[in-house]
C-alpha cells in the first residue's frame, strides 16, 4: 500500500485507502452534516478485479535467448510494469477534488498478479487502463524484443454488493480469470466478467472478451451506460427475445 501512496502522492497530498468495503463502495467519506449527491452512482456495489500475466514463460525464454536482451532483469521489468499499470489505473478512476480516500483496496500486488477492489461504477475504466498500461510499460522497458513475445494481462471481474464476502468473490474471480486466459490461449489481453447481483453467484458461460474488442466498443458502451435503467432493461429484453431487426427498430425509434 505504501508504494501506491508514494506513487499517487503529490504536492503534500497523500491519500489513504478505505478500511472497509462499505467505505470503498461509498468512495467519499462525507463530512458531518454533508449530504451525498443524489445523482452519484450506486454506492453499494464493488468490482473485484483479479489480473494475471499471459505468456510469461514465453517472454522469459525470449529475453534469455536474445543477445540484445539477455542481461535484462525480467522479474523487475514485470514487477515494474505491474505497479505502473496499477498506479495508472488508480489515477484513471481517482477524483482528487471529490475522493477523500483512494478508490481502491489492493488485496494482492506483486510479480504479474493484481487483485484489487474498486467501486463498481469505476470498475471498467480501472480494468481497461490496467491491461493497457501493463503491456505498454513492458514495451517501453524492453524495446529490443520481438513485440509478439511481450506479455499481456488478462482479468476476471466480479461485480457484487459490498456485503458479499471476499472469499466468495475471490473464487469466482479466479474462475473468470481462467476463462479469460482460455479465450486467447495467452496470446492477447482479455477479460471475463460476472455480476452477482443480476446473475447470482454461480458460474455462467458468458464468453470472455479480448481487450482489443472491449476497446473497439468502449465508446458505444459508454453511450449505452448513459441511458436510463428502464430503457436499458427494455433493450436487453428486446435483444434477448428478438434481436436483429426489432432491436434495431427500437433503437432507431427512441433515437439512440
Amino acid at each position: 500500500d505504501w508504494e501506491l501512496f508514494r506513487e499517487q502522492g503529490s504536492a503534500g497530498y497523500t491519500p489513504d485507502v478505505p478500511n472497509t468495503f462499505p467505505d470503498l463502495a461509498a468512495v467519499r467519506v462525507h463530512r458531518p452534516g454533508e449530504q451525498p449527491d443524489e445523482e452519484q452512482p450506486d454506492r453499494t456495489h464493488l468490482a473485484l478485479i483479479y489480473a494475471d500475466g499471459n505468456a510469461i514463460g514465453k517472454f522469459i525464454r525470449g529475453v534469455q535467448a536474445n543477445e540484445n536482451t539477455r542481461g535484462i532483469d525480467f522479474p523487475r521489468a514485470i514487477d515494474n510494469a505491474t505497479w505502473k499499470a496499477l498506479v495508472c489505473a488508480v489515477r484513471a478512476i481517482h477524483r482528487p477534488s471529490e475522493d477523500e480516500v483512494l478508490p481502491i483496496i489492493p488485496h494482492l500486488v506483486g510479480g504479474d498478479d493484481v487483485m484489487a477492489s474498486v467501486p463498481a461504477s469505476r470498475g471498467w475504466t480501472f480494468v481497461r487502463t490496467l491491461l493497457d498500461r501493463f503491456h505498454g510499460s513492458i514495451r517501453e522497458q524492453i524495446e529490443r524484443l520481438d513485440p509478439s513475445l511481450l506479455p499481456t494481462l488478462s482479468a476476471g471481474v466480479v461485480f457484487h454488493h459490498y456485503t458479499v464476502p471476499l472469499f466468495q468473490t475471490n473464487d469466482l474471480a479466479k474462475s473468470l480469470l481462467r476463462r479469460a486466459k482460455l479465450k486467447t490461449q495467452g496470446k492477447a489481453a482479455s477479460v471475463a466478467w460476472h455480476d452477482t447481483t443480476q446473475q447470482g453467484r454461480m458460474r455462467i458461460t458468458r464468453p470472455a472478451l479480448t481487450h482489443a474488442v472491449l476497446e473497439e466498443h468502449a465508446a458505444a458502451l459508454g453511450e449505452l451506460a448513459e441511458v436510463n435503467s428502464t430503457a436499458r432493461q427494455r433493450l436487453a429484453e428486446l435483444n434477448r427475445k428478438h434481436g436483429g431487426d426489432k432491436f434495431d427498430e427500437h433503437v432507431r425509434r427512441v433515437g439512440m
Side-chain angles (χ1 to χ4, degrees):
D1 290 358
W2 288 109
E3 291 184 60
L4 186 60
F5 294 162
R6 285 197 295 270
E7 291 284 354
Q8 282 290 118
S10 61
Y13 173 65
T14 307
D16 204 345
V17 295
N19 291 319
T20 67
F21 277 177
D23 286 343
L24 178 61
V27 179
R28 288 185 66 193
V29 178
H30 295 284
R31 298 181 179 86
E34 184 181 24
Q35 296 299 316
D37 184 345
E38 293 182 357
E39 304 208 353
Q40 286 295 314
D42 173 85
R43 292 174 181 271
T44 62
H45 283 72
L46 301 174
L48 175 66
I49 297 95
Y50 189 12
D52 181 62
N54 298 316
I56 297 297
K58 180 181 177 181
F59 164 66
I60 292 173
R61 291 191 295 273
V63 169
Q64 293 175 331
N66 188 322
E67 62 181 21
N68 293 321
T69 59
R70 196 172 296 153
I72 289 176
D73 186 347
F74 53 81
R76 180 178 292 276
I78 293 170
D79 195 60
N80 287 343
T82 300
W83 273 104
K84 183 170 184 178
L86 177 64
V87 169
C88 288
V90 173
R91 285 177 176 160
I93 65 172
H94 186 212
R95 302 165 188 165
S97 62
E98 301 176 21
D99 303 338
E100 294 187 359
V101 292
L102 287 176
I104 183 173
I105 294 179
H107 307 296
L108 168 67
V109 184
D112 61 324
D113 292 303
V114 173
M115 180 181 286
S117 293
V118 302
S121 62
R122 309 187 194 187
W124 283 115
T125 298
F126 181 90
V127 172
R128 291 170 55 207
T129 306
L130 185 74
L131 270 55
D132 178 70
R133 288 312 306 148
F134 176 84
H135 185 66
S137 178
I138 286 286
R139 188 172 60 244
E140 291 164 4
Q141 293 182 78
I142 306 177
E143 299 176 345
R144 294 168 291 177
L145 192 66
D146 182 345
S148 68
L149 298 177
L150 297 177
T152 57
L153 278 185
S154 286
V157 185
V158 180
F159 294 95
H160 64 97
H161 193 274
Y162 68 74
T163 57
V164 179
L166 179 61
F167 76 87
Q168 291 184 1
T169 54
N170 176 40
D171 287 344
L172 183 53
K174 288 180 179 178
S175 176
L176 291 166
L177 175 60
R178 287 193 293 271
R179 178 177 292 278
K181 284 176 167 288
L182 285 172
K183 172 71 177 179
T184 65
Q185 298 296 316
K187 296 178 182 178
S190 55
V191 181
W193 66 278
H194 182 75
D195 183 342
T196 62
T197 300
Q198 296 293 325
Q199 299 147 340
R201 301 178 194 176
M202 300 299 291
R203 295 175 178 85
I204 61 172
T205 57
R206 178 190 292 112
L209 297 171
T210 65
H211 181 245
V213 167
L214 184 59
E215 290 302 303
E216 179 184 351
H217 297 284
L221 290 170
E223 292 177 7
L224 182 61
E226 297 298 323
V227 177
N228 66 63
S229 59
T230 301
R232 285 202 305 272
Q233 290 171 6
R234 174 61 175 157
L235 288 172
E237 181 182 354
L238 283 169
N239 189 48
R240 183 170 56 252
K241 289 183 177 180
H242 306 289
D245 295 339
K246 284 193 175 291
F247 181 81
D248 293 340
E249 178 185 339
H250 179 74
V251 170
R252 288 193 297 271
R253 185 169 62 250
V254 298
M256 293 176 59

